[in-house]
PDB file of all heavy atoms in Angstrom:
ATOM      1  N   LYS A  32      70.350  29.437   2.480  1.00  0.00           N
ATOM      2  CA  LYS A  32      71.771  29.770   2.471  1.00  0.00           C
ATOM      3  C   LYS A  32      72.054  31.112   3.131  1.00  0.00           C
ATOM      4  O   LYS A  32      73.079  31.289   3.772  1.00  0.00           O
ATOM      5  CB  LYS A  32      72.306  29.769   1.039  1.00  0.00           C
ATOM      6  CG  LYS A  32      72.368  28.371   0.444  1.00  0.00           C
ATOM      7  CD  LYS A  32      72.929  28.380  -0.944  1.00  0.00           C
ATOM      8  CE  LYS A  32      72.957  26.965  -1.514  1.00  0.00           C
ATOM      9  NZ  LYS A  32      73.409  26.955  -2.904  1.00  0.00           N
ATOM     10  N   LYS A  33      71.134  32.070   2.986  1.00  0.00           N
ATOM     11  CA  LYS A  33      71.300  33.384   3.604  1.00  0.00           C
ATOM     12  C   LYS A  33      70.188  33.601   4.624  1.00  0.00           C
ATOM     13  O   LYS A  33      69.042  33.252   4.373  1.00  0.00           O
ATOM     14  CB  LYS A  33      71.242  34.489   2.553  1.00  0.00           C
ATOM     15  CG  LYS A  33      72.401  34.465   1.587  1.00  0.00           C
ATOM     16  CD  LYS A  33      72.346  35.652   0.661  1.00  0.00           C
ATOM     17  CE  LYS A  33      73.531  35.640  -0.292  1.00  0.00           C
ATOM     18  NZ  LYS A  33      73.511  36.775  -1.202  1.00  0.00           N
ATOM     19  N   PRO A  34      70.498  34.218   5.773  1.00  0.00           N
ATOM     20  CA  PRO A  34      69.454  34.465   6.772  1.00  0.00           C
ATOM     21  C   PRO A  34      68.522  35.606   6.358  1.00  0.00           C
ATOM     22  O   PRO A  34      68.867  36.447   5.533  1.00  0.00           O
ATOM     23  CB  PRO A  34      70.242  34.846   8.025  1.00  0.00           C
ATOM     24  CG  PRO A  34      71.536  35.355   7.516  1.00  0.00           C
ATOM     25  CD  PRO A  34      71.813  34.603   6.235  1.00  0.00           C
ATOM     26  N   HIS A  35      67.340  35.621   6.942  1.00  0.00           N
ATOM     27  CA  HIS A  35      66.371  36.696   6.747  1.00  0.00           C
ATOM     28  C   HIS A  35      66.903  37.952   7.463  1.00  0.00           C
ATOM     29  O   HIS A  35      67.658  37.833   8.425  1.00  0.00           O
ATOM     30  CB  HIS A  35      65.025  36.250   7.341  1.00  0.00           C
ATOM     31  CG  HIS A  35      63.893  37.145   7.001  1.00  0.00           C
ATOM     32  ND1 HIS A  35      63.236  37.877   7.947  1.00  0.00           N
ATOM     33  CD2 HIS A  35      63.304  37.437   5.823  1.00  0.00           C
ATOM     34  CE1 HIS A  35      62.276  38.583   7.364  1.00  0.00           C
ATOM     35  NE2 HIS A  35      62.297  38.326   6.070  1.00  0.00           N
ATOM     36  N   PRO A  36      66.561  39.152   7.014  1.00  0.00           N
ATOM     37  CA  PRO A  36      67.035  40.369   7.683  1.00  0.00           C
ATOM     38  C   PRO A  36      66.692  40.438   9.178  1.00  0.00           C
ATOM     39  O   PRO A  36      67.386  41.120   9.933  1.00  0.00           O
ATOM     40  CB  PRO A  36      66.328  41.489   6.917  1.00  0.00           C
ATOM     41  CG  PRO A  36      66.143  40.936   5.550  1.00  0.00           C
ATOM     42  CD  PRO A  36      65.853  39.469   5.767  1.00  0.00           C
ATOM     43  N   CYS A  37      65.660  39.722   9.630  1.00  0.00           N
ATOM     44  CA  CYS A  37      65.316  39.721  11.057  1.00  0.00           C
ATOM     45  C   CYS A  37      66.310  38.903  11.873  1.00  0.00           C
ATOM     46  O   CYS A  37      66.285  38.928  13.099  1.00  0.00           O
ATOM     47  CB  CYS A  37      63.892  39.210  11.280  1.00  0.00           C
ATOM     48  SG  CYS A  37      63.694  37.436  11.066  1.00  0.00           S
ATOM     49  N   GLY A  38      67.169  38.135  11.204  1.00  0.00           N
ATOM     50  CA  GLY A  38      68.188  37.351  11.889  1.00  0.00           C
ATOM     51  C   GLY A  38      67.922  35.859  11.926  1.00  0.00           C
ATOM     52  O   GLY A  38      68.804  35.083  12.265  1.00  0.00           O
ATOM     53  N   ALA A  39      66.716  35.433  11.589  1.00  0.00           N
ATOM     54  CA  ALA A  39      66.374  34.011  11.621  1.00  0.00           C
ATOM     55  C   ALA A  39      66.780  33.322  10.321  1.00  0.00           C
ATOM     56  O   ALA A  39      66.886  33.962   9.280  1.00  0.00           O
ATOM     57  CB  ALA A  39      64.882  33.837  11.834  1.00  0.00           C
ATOM     58  N   ASN A  40      67.012  32.034  10.403  1.00  0.00           N
ATOM     59  CA  ASN A  40      67.327  31.261   9.208  1.00  0.00           C
ATOM     60  C   ASN A  40      66.516  29.970   9.177  1.00  0.00           C
ATOM     61  O   ASN A  40      66.950  28.973   8.629  1.00  0.00           O
ATOM     62  CB  ASN A  40      68.830  30.968   9.130  1.00  0.00           C
ATOM     63  CG  ASN A  40      69.269  30.670   7.715  1.00  0.00           C
ATOM     64  OD1 ASN A  40      68.510  30.841   6.770  1.00  0.00           O
ATOM     65  ND2 ASN A  40      70.486  30.218   7.558  1.00  0.00           N
ATOM     66  N   GLU A  41      65.339  29.994   9.799  1.00  0.00           N
ATOM     67  CA  GLU A  41      64.421  28.855   9.779  1.00  0.00           C
ATOM     68  C   GLU A  41      63.132  29.297   9.111  1.00  0.00           C
ATOM     69  O   GLU A  41      62.529  30.299   9.491  1.00  0.00           O
ATOM     70  CB  GLU A  41      64.131  28.365  11.195  1.00  0.00           C
ATOM     71  CG  GLU A  41      65.329  27.771  11.874  1.00  0.00           C
ATOM     72  CD  GLU A  41      64.989  27.221  13.248  1.00  0.00           C
ATOM     73  OE1 GLU A  41      63.835  27.350  13.683  1.00  0.00           O
ATOM     74  OE2 GLU A  41      65.896  26.664  13.874  1.00  0.00           O
ATOM     75  N   TRP A  42      62.730  28.546   8.087  1.00  0.00           N
ATOM     76  CA  TRP A  42      61.544  28.865   7.307  1.00  0.00           C
ATOM     77  C   TRP A  42      60.662  27.635   7.220  1.00  0.00           C
ATOM     78  O   TRP A  42      61.158  26.520   7.105  1.00  0.00           O
ATOM     79  CB  TRP A  42      61.943  29.277   5.889  1.00  0.00           C
ATOM     80  CG  TRP A  42      62.802  30.493   5.823  1.00  0.00           C
ATOM     81  CD1 TRP A  42      64.146  30.566   6.042  1.00  0.00           C
ATOM     82  CD2 TRP A  42      62.380  31.807   5.496  1.00  0.00           C
ATOM     83  NE1 TRP A  42      64.577  31.849   5.866  1.00  0.00           N
ATOM     84  CE2 TRP A  42      63.513  32.641   5.529  1.00  0.00           C
ATOM     85  CE3 TRP A  42      61.144  32.372   5.169  1.00  0.00           C
ATOM     86  CZ2 TRP A  42      63.452  33.999   5.253  1.00  0.00           C
ATOM     87  CZ3 TRP A  42      61.087  33.729   4.893  1.00  0.00           C
ATOM     88  CH2 TRP A  42      62.228  34.523   4.941  1.00  0.00           C
ATOM     89  N   GLN A  43      59.348  27.823   7.224  1.00  0.00           N
ATOM     90  CA  GLN A  43      58.411  26.718   7.051  1.00  0.00           C
ATOM     91  C   GLN A  43      57.818  26.791   5.650  1.00  0.00           C
ATOM     92  O   GLN A  43      57.398  27.864   5.207  1.00  0.00           O
ATOM     93  CB  GLN A  43      57.295  26.790   8.079  1.00  0.00           C
ATOM     94  CG  GLN A  43      56.357  25.606   7.981  1.00  0.00           C
ATOM     95  CD  GLN A  43      55.353  25.589   9.111  1.00  0.00           C
ATOM     96  OE1 GLN A  43      54.969  26.629   9.618  1.00  0.00           O
ATOM     97  NE2 GLN A  43      54.934  24.404   9.489  1.00  0.00           N
ATOM     98  N   VAL A  44      57.796  25.656   4.951  1.00  0.00           N
ATOM     99  CA  VAL A  44      57.196  25.578   3.620  1.00  0.00           C
ATOM    100  C   VAL A  44      55.685  25.547   3.811  1.00  0.00           C
ATOM    101  O   VAL A  44      55.150  24.629   4.435  1.00  0.00           O
ATOM    102  CB  VAL A  44      57.680  24.321   2.864  1.00  0.00           C
ATOM    103  CG1 VAL A  44      57.021  24.231   1.495  1.00  0.00           C
ATOM    104  CG2 VAL A  44      59.200  24.322   2.728  1.00  0.00           C
ATOM    105  N   ILE A  45      54.977  26.579   3.298  1.00  0.00           N
ATOM    106  CA  ILE A  45      53.524  26.649   3.488  1.00  0.00           C
ATOM    107  C   ILE A  45      52.745  26.520   2.184  1.00  0.00           C
ATOM    108  O   ILE A  45      51.524  26.440   2.202  1.00  0.00           O
ATOM    109  CB  ILE A  45      53.113  27.934   4.245  1.00  0.00           C
ATOM    110  CG1 ILE A  45      53.551  29.195   3.512  1.00  0.00           C
ATOM    111  CG2 ILE A  45      53.664  27.919   5.658  1.00  0.00           C
ATOM    112  CD1 ILE A  45      53.049  30.491   4.127  1.00  0.00           C
ATOM    113  N   ARG A  46      53.425  26.500   1.029  1.00  0.00           N
ATOM    114  CA  ARG A  46      52.748  26.312  -0.258  1.00  0.00           C
ATOM    115  C   ARG A  46      53.738  25.708  -1.235  1.00  0.00           C
ATOM    116  O   ARG A  46      54.902  26.095  -1.265  1.00  0.00           O
ATOM    117  CB  ARG A  46      52.249  27.647  -0.806  1.00  0.00           C
ATOM    118  CG  ARG A  46      51.552  27.531  -2.150  1.00  0.00           C
ATOM    119  CD  ARG A  46      51.160  28.915  -2.680  1.00  0.00           C
ATOM    120  NE  ARG A  46      50.436  28.845  -3.915  1.00  0.00           N
ATOM    121  CZ  ARG A  46      51.003  28.771  -5.113  1.00  0.00           C
ATOM    122  NH1 ARG A  46      52.312  28.741  -5.229  1.00  0.00           N
ATOM    123  NH2 ARG A  46      50.263  28.719  -6.193  1.00  0.00           N
ATOM    124  N   MET A  47      53.268  24.739  -2.016  1.00  0.00           N
ATOM    125  CA  MET A  47      54.119  24.119  -3.027  1.00  0.00           C
ATOM    126  C   MET A  47      53.380  24.065  -4.349  1.00  0.00           C
ATOM    127  O   MET A  47      52.166  23.952  -4.387  1.00  0.00           O
ATOM    128  CB  MET A  47      54.514  22.706  -2.605  1.00  0.00           C
ATOM    129  CG  MET A  47      55.493  22.682  -1.472  1.00  0.00           C
ATOM    130  SD  MET A  47      55.938  21.032  -0.939  1.00  0.00           S
ATOM    131  CE  MET A  47      56.517  20.294  -2.428  1.00  0.00           C
ATOM    132  N   GLY A  48      54.130  24.139  -5.409  1.00  0.00           N
ATOM    133  CA  GLY A  48      53.597  24.093  -6.763  1.00  0.00           C
ATOM    134  C   GLY A  48      54.713  24.543  -7.681  1.00  0.00           C
ATOM    135  O   GLY A  48      55.883  24.251  -7.453  1.00  0.00           O
ATOM    136  N   ALA A  49      54.378  25.292  -8.720  1.00  0.00           N
ATOM    137  CA  ALA A  49      55.410  25.868  -9.577  1.00  0.00           C
ATOM    138  C   ALA A  49      56.211  26.893  -8.773  1.00  0.00           C
ATOM    139  O   ALA A  49      57.386  27.128  -9.028  1.00  0.00           O
ATOM    140  CB  ALA A  49      54.788  26.533 -10.792  1.00  0.00           C
ATOM    141  N   ASP A  50      55.540  27.496  -7.767  1.00  0.00           N
ATOM    142  CA  ASP A  50      56.181  28.418  -6.834  1.00  0.00           C
ATOM    143  C   ASP A  50      56.129  27.791  -5.447  1.00  0.00           C
ATOM    144  O   ASP A  50      55.272  26.974  -5.158  1.00  0.00           O
ATOM    145  CB  ASP A  50      55.439  29.760  -6.787  1.00  0.00           C
ATOM    146  CG  ASP A  50      55.480  30.493  -8.119  1.00  0.00           C
ATOM    147  OD1 ASP A  50      56.536  30.462  -8.767  1.00  0.00           O
ATOM    148  OD2 ASP A  50      54.458  31.076  -8.495  1.00  0.00           O
ATOM    149  N   VAL A  51      57.047  28.219  -4.588  1.00  0.00           N
ATOM    150  CA  VAL A  51      57.080  27.734  -3.211  1.00  0.00           C
ATOM    151  C   VAL A  51      56.978  28.942  -2.293  1.00  0.00           C
ATOM    152  O   VAL A  51      57.722  29.903  -2.446  1.00  0.00           O
ATOM    153  CB  VAL A  51      58.396  26.958  -2.934  1.00  0.00           C
ATOM    154  CG1 VAL A  51      58.473  26.536  -1.476  1.00  0.00           C
ATOM    155  CG2 VAL A  51      58.513  25.753  -3.846  1.00  0.00           C
ATOM    156  N   ARG A  52      56.032  28.903  -1.341  1.00  0.00           N
ATOM    157  CA  ARG A  52      55.908  29.987  -0.357  1.00  0.00           C
ATOM    158  C   ARG A  52      56.486  29.479   0.954  1.00  0.00           C
ATOM    159  O   ARG A  52      56.136  28.396   1.422  1.00  0.00           O
ATOM    160  CB  ARG A  52      54.459  30.414  -0.155  1.00  0.00           C
ATOM    161  CG  ARG A  52      54.344  31.596   0.822  1.00  0.00           C
ATOM    162  CD  ARG A  52      52.955  32.175   0.899  1.00  0.00           C
ATOM    163  NE  ARG A  52      52.489  32.747  -0.342  1.00  0.00           N
ATOM    164  CZ  ARG A  52      52.753  33.993  -0.753  1.00  0.00           C
ATOM    165  NH1 ARG A  52      53.509  34.789  -0.035  1.00  0.00           N
ATOM    166  NH2 ARG A  52      52.260  34.429  -1.893  1.00  0.00           N
ATOM    167  N   ILE A  53      57.383  30.287   1.533  1.00  0.00           N
ATOM    168  CA  ILE A  53      57.987  29.953   2.813  1.00  0.00           C
ATOM    169  C   ILE A  53      57.698  31.073   3.805  1.00  0.00           C
ATOM    170  O   ILE A  53      57.538  32.226   3.416  1.00  0.00           O
ATOM    171  CB  ILE A  53      59.507  29.690   2.687  1.00  0.00           C
ATOM    172  CG1 ILE A  53      60.221  30.869   2.024  1.00  0.00           C
ATOM    173  CG2 ILE A  53      59.773  28.406   1.936  1.00  0.00           C
ATOM    174  CD1 ILE A  53      61.738  30.728   1.946  1.00  0.00           C
ATOM    175  N   LYS A  54      57.616  30.700   5.084  1.00  0.00           N
ATOM    176  CA  LYS A  54      57.279  31.657   6.137  1.00  0.00           C
ATOM    177  C   LYS A  54      58.378  31.656   7.188  1.00  0.00           C
ATOM    178  O   LYS A  54      58.757  30.597   7.705  1.00  0.00           O
ATOM    179  CB  LYS A  54      55.940  31.261   6.772  1.00  0.00           C
ATOM    180  CG  LYS A  54      55.454  32.189   7.830  1.00  0.00           C
ATOM    181  CD  LYS A  54      54.090  31.720   8.323  1.00  0.00           C
ATOM    182  CE  LYS A  54      53.534  32.628   9.391  1.00  0.00           C
ATOM    183  NZ  LYS A  54      52.233  32.143   9.864  1.00  0.00           N
ATOM    184  N   CYS A  55      58.901  32.857   7.510  1.00  0.00           N
ATOM    185  CA  CYS A  55      59.944  33.006   8.523  1.00  0.00           C
ATOM    186  C   CYS A  55      59.383  32.584   9.878  1.00  0.00           C
ATOM    187  O   CYS A  55      58.293  32.999  10.265  1.00  0.00           O
ATOM    188  CB  CYS A  55      60.425  34.457   8.569  1.00  0.00           C
ATOM    189  SG  CYS A  55      61.697  34.748   9.826  1.00  0.00           S
ATOM    190  N   GLN A  56      60.140  31.773  10.601  1.00  0.00           N
ATOM    191  CA  GLN A  56      59.675  31.275  11.888  1.00  0.00           C
ATOM    192  C   GLN A  56      59.861  32.280  13.014  1.00  0.00           C
ATOM    193  O   GLN A  56      59.294  32.111  14.088  1.00  0.00           O
ATOM    194  CB  GLN A  56      60.415  29.974  12.237  1.00  0.00           C
ATOM    195  CG  GLN A  56      60.067  28.832  11.307  1.00  0.00           C
ATOM    196  CD  GLN A  56      58.601  28.472  11.404  1.00  0.00           C
ATOM    197  OE1 GLN A  56      58.180  27.842  12.359  1.00  0.00           O
ATOM    198  NE2 GLN A  56      57.817  28.881  10.429  1.00  0.00           N
ATOM    199  N   LYS A  57      60.616  33.355  12.777  1.00  0.00           N
ATOM    200  CA  LYS A  57      60.821  34.363  13.813  1.00  0.00           C
ATOM    201  C   LYS A  57      59.828  35.518  13.689  1.00  0.00           C
ATOM    202  O   LYS A  57      59.137  35.849  14.643  1.00  0.00           O
ATOM    203  CB  LYS A  57      62.256  34.899  13.759  1.00  0.00           C
ATOM    204  CG  LYS A  57      62.578  35.901  14.848  1.00  0.00           C
ATOM    205  CD  LYS A  57      64.022  36.320  14.813  1.00  0.00           C
ATOM    206  CE  LYS A  57      64.332  37.334  15.907  1.00  0.00           C
ATOM    207  NZ  LYS A  57      65.720  37.772  15.831  1.00  0.00           N
ATOM    208  N   CYS A  58      59.733  36.114  12.492  1.00  0.00           N
ATOM    209  CA  CYS A  58      58.911  37.321  12.337  1.00  0.00           C
ATOM    210  C   CYS A  58      57.593  37.067  11.603  1.00  0.00           C
ATOM    211  O   CYS A  58      56.725  37.923  11.590  1.00  0.00           O
ATOM    212  CB  CYS A  58      59.696  38.418  11.629  1.00  0.00           C
ATOM    213  SG  CYS A  58      60.056  38.086   9.896  1.00  0.00           S
ATOM    214  N   GLY A  59      57.429  35.896  10.954  1.00  0.00           N
ATOM    215  CA  GLY A  59      56.180  35.572  10.275  1.00  0.00           C
ATOM    216  C   GLY A  59      56.072  36.076   8.853  1.00  0.00           C
ATOM    217  O   GLY A  59      55.053  35.866   8.199  1.00  0.00           O
ATOM    218  N   HIS A  60      57.099  36.745   8.325  1.00  0.00           N
ATOM    219  CA  HIS A  60      57.081  37.239   6.948  1.00  0.00           C
ATOM    220  C   HIS A  60      57.100  36.051   5.988  1.00  0.00           C
ATOM    221  O   HIS A  60      57.803  35.077   6.208  1.00  0.00           O
ATOM    222  CB  HIS A  60      58.303  38.125   6.712  1.00  0.00           C
ATOM    223  CG  HIS A  60      58.374  38.713   5.353  1.00  0.00           C
ATOM    224  ND1 HIS A  60      57.661  39.826   4.995  1.00  0.00           N
ATOM    225  CD2 HIS A  60      59.072  38.339   4.253  1.00  0.00           C
ATOM    226  CE1 HIS A  60      57.923  40.121   3.727  1.00  0.00           C
ATOM    227  NE2 HIS A  60      58.785  39.223   3.265  1.00  0.00           N
ATOM    228  N   SER A  61      56.309  36.121   4.919  1.00  0.00           N
ATOM    229  CA  SER A  61      56.312  35.035   3.940  1.00  0.00           C
ATOM    230  C   SER A  61      56.850  35.529   2.605  1.00  0.00           C
ATOM    231  O   SER A  61      56.685  36.693   2.251  1.00  0.00           O
ATOM    232  CB  SER A  61      54.920  34.431   3.768  1.00  0.00           C
ATOM    233  OG  SER A  61      54.056  35.347   3.161  1.00  0.00           O
ATOM    234  N   VAL A  62      57.494  34.615   1.897  1.00  0.00           N
ATOM    235  CA  VAL A  62      58.146  34.921   0.622  1.00  0.00           C
ATOM    236  C   VAL A  62      57.734  33.868  -0.395  1.00  0.00           C
ATOM    237  O   VAL A  62      57.689  32.676  -0.077  1.00  0.00           O
ATOM    238  CB  VAL A  62      59.689  34.907   0.785  1.00  0.00           C
ATOM    239  CG1 VAL A  62      60.388  35.165  -0.531  1.00  0.00           C
ATOM    240  CG2 VAL A  62      60.134  35.914   1.828  1.00  0.00           C
ATOM    241  N   LEU A  63      57.412  34.304  -1.613  1.00  0.00           N
ATOM    242  CA  LEU A  63      57.063  33.401  -2.703  1.00  0.00           C
ATOM    243  C   LEU A  63      58.224  33.359  -3.686  1.00  0.00           C
ATOM    244  O   LEU A  63      58.651  34.396  -4.189  1.00  0.00           O
ATOM    245  CB  LEU A  63      55.788  33.884  -3.402  1.00  0.00           C
ATOM    246  CG  LEU A  63      55.228  32.998  -4.503  1.00  0.00           C
ATOM    247  CD1 LEU A  63      54.728  31.685  -3.917  1.00  0.00           C
ATOM    248  CD2 LEU A  63      54.096  33.706  -5.224  1.00  0.00           C
TER     249      LEU A  63
END
Side-chain angles (χ1 to χ4, degrees):
K32 290 182 181 176
K33 293 185 179 180
H35 190 246
C37 74
N40 202 9
E41 293 183 357
W42 299 80
Q43 184 173 30
V44 179
I45 59 174
R46 179 184 183 275
M47 289 179 56
D50 296 320
V51 176
R52 183 172 297 275
I53 55 176
K54 182 177 181 181
C55 179
Q56 293 297 284
K57 183 176 180 182
C58 69
H60 181 81
S61 68
V62 178
L63 184 67

